Amino acid sequence: MTDSNQISVDPNTKGNANLIYILYLVGIVIGITPIIGVIMAYMGKGQGDPVLESHYNNQINIFWKGLLYSVIGAVLTVVLIGILILLAALIWYIVRSIKGMQALSAGQPIENPGSWLF
């Protein structure tokens, strides 16, 4: 594994995990990129490095839990509470992605990648 955070598609590098976080954040504007990111995370999972493994698990959880929160919020927009849920889901999604990028750049694993909170 290299120490640089340069963008890469090699699943054995931090650059690949960094690219996935970037795809997730770009997905706020361009909706298809998180799907590409989660596919890349699944492809990188199981590569052996425990730090990268925790980030790939975190990225997979961000995708699926973000999707769940968004669907629940969209359904509940009928009763207006959904707008608040969508806003909270967006904030959660951004915070989890940025915290992941920060931990990755510091070379640290994600403490609890399966967490439902921040």
Side-chain angles (χ1 to χ4, degrees):
M1 182 172 94
T2 64
D3 287 332
S4 72
N5 283 331
Q6 293 182 348
I7 305 291
S8 171
V9 292
D10 181 3
N12 291 321
T13 64
K14 288 170 48 175
N16 185 59
N18 197 34
L19 176 60
I20 295 168
Y21 284 123
I22 291 168
L23 288 171
Y24 280 6
L25 292 172
V26 169
I28 295 168
V29 178
I30 304 170
I32 192 78
T33 60
I35 296 169
I36 296 166
V38 78
I39 291 169
M40 290 174 64
Y42 274 114
M43 289 173 52
K45 190 174 176 184
Q47 296 296 325
D49 184 321
V51 172
L52 284 177
E53 189 72 22
S54 74
H55 284 279
Y56 289 137
N57 285 331
N58 184 48
Q59 292 163 341
I60 291 167
N61 281 308
I62 289 172
F63 177 83
W64 290 113
K65 290 173 184 172
L67 182 63
L68 176 66
Y69 292 152
S70 297
V71 168
I72 290 170
V75 168
L76 292 176
T77 55
V78 175
V79 290
L80 300 180
I81 190 81
I83 296 168
L84 294 175
I85 293 173
L86 286 172
L87 180 61
L90 178 64
I91 292 168
W92 176 88
Y93 183 84
I94 292 169
V95 168
R96 286 291 297 247
S97 297
I98 291 175
K99 283 179 69 175
M101 287 180 84
Q102 290 174 336
L104 182 66
S105 69
Q108 300 172 340
I110 298 296
E111 292 298 321
N112 188 2
S115 173
W116 288 82
L117 301 174
F118 295 105

